[in-house]
């Protein structure tokens, strides 16, 4: 049994969730608390990975980050190419799980009574302090639920990851891709183990996210 | 001292007021949607009016002309919104300490002092959800006052509380007001509370300031028809000036002539001038046959009770005059409010014909046309016909 896909997937999903945590909090807060002309557009942009076919998403990333693109060339110049590396898998997993993270953060921030923040301002605290001591602590359960969902989604990404990172055993082969590989190689035992692990983990994360959500509502 | 000048227009609503407040408790009184809360939020810096100027103790907080607009953080304003807005994840102590800076020993000392002031020193470790409504309001007060604000803004602070708790907090607020020596703006739509607490009442309606004055003045000498409605004057009648002399004014309503007190705010009026006559239902007395008042002083009118409503603590009678009527278009002329024991003692449920007495001092009047009148303004405040007691049974 080759354990590499497990380790790689754990690493990719963790990093992707970490990136999404920062983007999710920033964009979720913007969408919940600020009104600006492009708000609906921004909301649509961070949700589009949910509705586009993963291959389309992967294609966009490939074009945007590939060797021929300015970004790709810049990355290559500093020695961290993305395409067909495990870092590409991180980007693909992050983009495809971003909608879940942003939506969770947005809902969590919207659930914080703006009047609490307003009173905190009249008490002399700066905007950042108000965010740190009032908004974030009151929203953290929703954000945590979003992290769990986002992690589970990142762990299971197939299409976009395959397009951007490819299927290189021992280098870019994540769990979901290893399942496909095992089936193609006619190895039902290996496929079965991988599928079982992914499924159990998926159920556990959804249960955890629901419990967090319920405690949030209470 | 707080000088307020605010103007802002929304589709269908305009807020426009000008008010100067000293170290006093001023009640902003009016219906929901009159602009009371908006005014507080403008002072706190949570709402920015299109035009205006807000100056607190010589510090310009907001000035639309010169573009000054201090953020809430820099205004030194104690703001207690409706519903208190306590931080649910912080303890009582942490809530009160939230606006304080400095060495933790100093903060601890100050917080405990304020909690002591509001009577919650032993609950410092509780969370807001473990407190009663009255206790939550006390925490909100302590939190707002701990930053030593230059003005205290209270938005309907007592409206969600039960009567005994409300009364305790009214006492606390009056105690704090004497101690603090800062302007306090207190929003309420409860008339009794406004009269009890206010040094002055500012009556708001539809975003405009209708009258500002001591409670007794607003209660008994409303400057406009809308104020008379808001402060619960139930007999509002259209009349005419018949003559003026040093003792007061002779006026007529329909065919009836009544004596009223002089109105110091009104200029001398020529005979025939249209006026709005205000008589509080509480100020009309039922005359006991064995004890008639001197007729040269009081307005005595004869008539009969045609209906009543029992409010438990008060009995409202609908009274129709014999002879010339005041309001022939309705089937009663005057509303009279008396305590239930008077109703019982005089046997008003059996004996229906009475003489009533109205002192000239109880008849307030304002020139018609200086208070946004018009016959339509009378319409909705009255039931089309009095509710008869037997209909309620």
């Amino acid at each position: 049994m080759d354990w590499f896909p497990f380790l790689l997937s754990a690493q990719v999903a963790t990093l992707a969730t970490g990136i999404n945590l920062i983007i999710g909090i920033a964009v979720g807060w913007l969408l919940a608390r600020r009104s600006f002309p492009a708000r609906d557009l921004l909301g649509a942009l961070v949700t589009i990975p949910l509705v586009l076919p993963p291959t389309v998403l992967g294609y966009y990333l490939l074009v945007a980050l590939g060797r021929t693109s300015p970004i790709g060339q810049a990355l290559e110049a500093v020695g961290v190419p993305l395409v067909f590396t495990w870092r590409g898998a991180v980007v693909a997993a992050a983009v495809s799980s971003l909608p879940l993270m942003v939506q969770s953060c947005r809902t969590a921030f919207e659930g914080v009574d703006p009047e609490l923040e307003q009173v905190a301002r009249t008490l002399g605290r700066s905007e950042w302090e108000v965010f740190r001591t009032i908004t974030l602590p009151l929203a953290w359960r929703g954000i945590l639920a979003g992290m769990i969902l986002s992690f589970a989604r990142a762990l299971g990404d197939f299409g976009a990851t395959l397009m951007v990172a490819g299927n290189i055993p021992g280098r870019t082969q994540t769990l979901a891709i290893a399942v496909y590989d095992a089936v193609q190689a006619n190895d039902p035992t290996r496929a079965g183990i991988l599928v079982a692990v992914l499924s159990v983990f998926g159920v556990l994360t959804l249960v955890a996210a629901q419990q967090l959500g319920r405690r949030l509502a209470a | 001292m707080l000088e307020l000048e605010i103007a802002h227009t929304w589709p269908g609503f305009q807020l426009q007021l000008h008010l100067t407040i000293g170290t006093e408790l001023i009640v902003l009184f009016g219906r929901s949607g009159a602009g009371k809360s908006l005014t507080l939020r403008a002072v706190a810096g949570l709402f920015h009016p299109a035009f205006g100027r807000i100056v607190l103790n010589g510090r310009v907080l907001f000035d639309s002309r010169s573009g000054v607009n201090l953020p809430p953080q820099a205004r030194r304003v104690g703001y207690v919104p409706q519903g208190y807005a306590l931080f649910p994840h912080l303890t009582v102590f942490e809530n009160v300490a939230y606006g304080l800076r400095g060495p933790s020993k100093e903060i601890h000392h100050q917080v405990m002092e304020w909690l002591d002031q509001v009577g919650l020193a032993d609950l410092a470790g509780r969370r807001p959800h473990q407190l009663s409504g009255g206790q939550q309001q006390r925490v909100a007060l302590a939190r707002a006052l701990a930053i030593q604000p230059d003005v205290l803004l209270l938005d309907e602070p007592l409206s969600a509380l039960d009567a005994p708790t409300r009364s305790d907090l009214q006492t606390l607020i009056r105690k704090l007001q004497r101690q603090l020596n800062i302007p306090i703006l207190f929003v309420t739509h409860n008339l009794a509370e406004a009269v009890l607490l206010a040094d002055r009442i500012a009556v708001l309606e539809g975003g405009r300031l209708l009258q500002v004055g001591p409670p007794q003045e607003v209660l008994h000498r409303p400057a406009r028809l809308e104020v008379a409605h808001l402060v619960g004057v139930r007999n509002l009648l259209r009349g005419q000036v018949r003559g003026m002399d040093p003792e007061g004014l002779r006026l007529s309503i329909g065919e009836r002539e009544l004596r009223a007190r002089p109105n110091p705010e009104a200029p001398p009026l020529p005979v025939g001038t249209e006026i709005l006559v205000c008589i509080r239902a509480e100020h009309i007395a039922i005359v006991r046959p064995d004890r008639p008042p001197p007729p040269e002083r009081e307005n005595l009118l004869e008539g009969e009770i045609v209906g009543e409503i029992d409010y438990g603590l008060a009995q409202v009678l609908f009274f129709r005059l014999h002879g010339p009527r005041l309001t022939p278009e309705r089937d009663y002329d005057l509303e009279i409010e008396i305590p239930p024991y008077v109703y019982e003692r005089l046997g008003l449920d059996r004996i229906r014909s009475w003489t009533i007495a109205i002192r000239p001092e109880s008849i307030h009047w304002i020139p018609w046309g200086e208070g946004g009148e018009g016959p339509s303004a009378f319409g909705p405040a009255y039931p089309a016909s009095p509710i008869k007691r037997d209909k309620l049974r």
Side-chain angles (χ1 to χ4, degrees):
Chain A
M1 188 74 205
D2 176 16
W3 292 102
F4 180 83
F6 290 93
L7 296 175
L8 180 64
S9 274
Q11 182 184 344
V12 165
T14 304
L15 284 171
T17 306
I19 293 168
N20 279 354
L21 180 63
I22 295 162
I23 301 174
I25 286 177
V27 176
W29 183 83
L30 273 178
L31 293 175
R33 278 290 187 266
R34 294 273 173 249
S35 62
F36 48 95
R39 188 168 76 163
D40 288 344
L41 185 65
L42 179 64
L45 273 178
V46 293
T47 313
I48 201 82
L50 210 56
V51 294
L52 281 182
T55 45
V56 174
L57 201 61
Y59 178 79
Y60 278 135
L61 288 174
L62 205 53
V63 170
L65 306 173
R67 295 230 158 96
T68 53
S69 79
I71 299 175
Q73 281 167 357
L75 287 170
E76 199 126 342
V78 295
V80 280
L82 288 179
V83 172
F84 301 117
T85 69
W86 68 271
R87 290 182 218 93
V90 172
V91 172
V95 169
S96 54
S97 58
L98 185 63
L100 292 172
M101 188 70 212
V102 171
Q103 196 48 51
S104 297
C105 289
R106 179 182 188 167
T107 310
F109 287 133
E110 279 170 349
V112 178
D113 185 355
E115 198 145 71
L116 297 176
E117 297 164 353
Q118 288 165 358
V119 168
R121 286 185 196 112
T122 67
L123 292 168
R125 295 290 197 102
S126 70
E127 292 297 322
W128 166 246
E129 281 178 330
V130 171
F131 179 76
R132 191 177 58 81
T133 59
I134 304 294
T135 317
L136 207 52
L138 289 173
W140 79 269
R141 273 180 215 228
I143 296 171
L144 195 62
M147 283 174 71
I148 293 174
L149 285 175
S150 172
F151 185 83
R153 176 70 186 81
L155 200 62
D157 186 65
F158 175 75
T161 306
L162 187 63
M163 294 283 284
V164 177
N167 175 14
I168 310 167
R171 281 185 58 205
T172 68
Q173 196 184 68
T174 61
L175 266 177
I177 293 171
V179 173
Y180 179 74
D181 209 51
V183 173
Q184 291 293 304
N186 208 6
D187 184 349
T189 317
R190 196 159 84 93
I193 293 171
L194 293 166
V195 164
V197 167
L198 273 173
S199 303
V200 169
F201 188 80
V203 169
L204 286 179
T205 49
L206 288 177
V207 169
Q210 274 182 34
Q211 283 185 342
L212 270 174
R214 205 170 304 131
R215 270 161 63 196
L216 184 70
Chain B
M1 183 151 97
L2 176 66
E3 293 159 80
L4 254 182
E5 205 187 321
I6 302 171
H8 196 93
T9 307
W10 293 263
F13 184 76
Q14 197 177 12
L15 180 68
Q16 189 164 25
L17 59 93
H18 192 159
L19 192 60
T20 302
I21 301 157
T23 51
E24 61 182 328
L25 191 151
I26 195 154
V27 165
L28 300 181
F29 175 73
R31 298 176 225 263
S32 322
K36 311 185 295 290
S37 299
L38 272 171
T39 305
L40 290 198
R41 295 177 62 80
V43 177
L46 302 171
F47 154 64
H48 308 305
F51 302 100
R53 192 174 148 83
I54 301 170
V55 183
L56 180 57
N57 297 340
R59 276 195 305 139
V60 179
L61 304 185
F62 177 80
D63 187 348
S64 57
R65 263 145 288 180
S66 61
V68 176
N69 184 8
L70 294 189
Q73 286 91 340
R75 293 195 177 200
R76 291 173 60 93
V77 154
Y79 175 55
V80 179
Q82 223 174 334
Y84 327 135
L86 296 181
F87 307 130
H89 59 303
L90 302 180
T91 63
V92 167
F93 182 95
E94 289 164 337
N95 265 278
V96 177
Y98 190 81
L100 298 177
R101 277 157 216 267
S104 60
K105 210 174 154 190
E106 180 62 25
I107 288 179
H108 187 268
H109 178 73
Q110 285 182 40
V111 170
M112 291 319 288
E113 203 158 282
W114 276 111
L115 285 179
D116 202 40
Q117 284 268 353
V118 300
L120 289 180
D122 47 341
L123 300 181
R126 298 264 185 101
R127 298 278 169 124
H129 72 269
Q130 297 168 308
L131 303 177
S132 70
Q135 290 167 337
Q136 291 184 15
Q137 180 57 269
R138 286 165 191 267
V139 177
L141 271 172
R143 181 180 62 180
L145 291 172
I147 61 165
Q148 299 187 308
D150 291 338
V151 61
L152 183 60
L153 310 171
L154 306 172
D155 196 351
E156 306 245 2
L158 311 180
S159 47
L161 303 175
D162 58 79
T165 309
R166 173 185 279 250
S167 165
D168 288 350
L169 272 156
Q170 284 166 347
T171 311
L172 174 67
I173 288 171
R174 285 211 286 192
K175 183 192 97 178
L176 291 171
Q177 177 210 358
R178 283 193 297 271
Q179 262 172 26
L180 290 168
N181 227 21
I182 55 171
I184 301 178
L185 271 77
F186 186 108
V187 164
T188 186
H189 54 244
N190 180 326
L191 180 63
E193 190 168 280
V195 171
L196 176 69
L197 290 175
D199 292 310
R200 285 192 300 158
I201 296 178
V203 184
L204 265 85
E205 168 98 333
R208 289 175 312 146
L209 204 53
L210 299 184
Q211 185 173 2
V212 187
Q216 292 307 315
E217 185 184 309
V218 173
L219 266 188
H220 299 299
R221 296 214 300 276
R224 306 170 59 98
L225 174 65
E226 297 100 314
V227 179
H229 273 306
L230 285 168
V231 300
V233 178
R234 287 203 294 272
N235 296 298
L236 294 165
L237 304 155
R238 190 172 184 168
Q240 280 189 346
V241 173
R242 281 282 148 252
M244 282 176 114
D245 53 49
E247 281 183 41
L249 177 107
R250 279 179 296 118
L251 60 89
S252 64
I253 302 167
E255 307 276 303
R256 289 274 179 177
E257 251 194 51
L258 299 174
R259 290 200 71 83
R261 65 159 174 221
N263 182 347
E265 281 104 61
L269 296 176
V271 171
T273 308
E274 298 266 297
I275 51 175
L276 174 73
V277 182
C278 308
I279 307 169
R280 293 201 75 93
E282 303 86 344
H283 288 177
I284 304 177
I286 304 270
V287 178
R288 290 174 58 169
D290 51 325
R291 271 198 257 159
E296 70 277 9
R297 283 271 307 134
E298 308 221 355
N299 298 290
L300 295 177
L301 303 164
E302 285 173 13
E304 62 179 314
I305 300 164
V306 294
E308 60 259 87
I309 302 176
D310 184 358
Y311 284 102
L313 296 175
Q315 189 87 33
V316 170
L317 312 173
F318 297 94
F319 196 79
R320 180 160 62 204
L321 299 184
H322 292 150
R325 303 274 315 274
L326 302 181
T327 53
E329 66 277 10
R330 296 190 310 215
D331 53 10
Y332 66 96
D333 295 288
L334 291 165
E335 276 185 51
I336 305 170
E337 186 176 317
I338 55 169
Y341 73 87
V342 173
Y343 184 88
E344 299 295 337
R345 184 172 294 181
L346 296 180
L348 295 187
D349 54 335
R350 287 170 287 114
I351 309 163
R352 305 300 269 181
S353 282
W354 290 90
T355 298
I356 58 169
I358 310 170
R359 297 188 313 160
E361 300 78 49
S362 297
I363 300 182
H364 171 67
W365 51 275
I366 33 184
W368 190 267
E370 282 185 16
E373 305 79 352
S376 62
F378 283 95
Y382 296 98
S385 63
I387 303 161
K388 300 233 166 61
R389 193 186 184 116
D390 47 70
K391 279 190 195 155
L392 292 174
R393 276 191 185 139

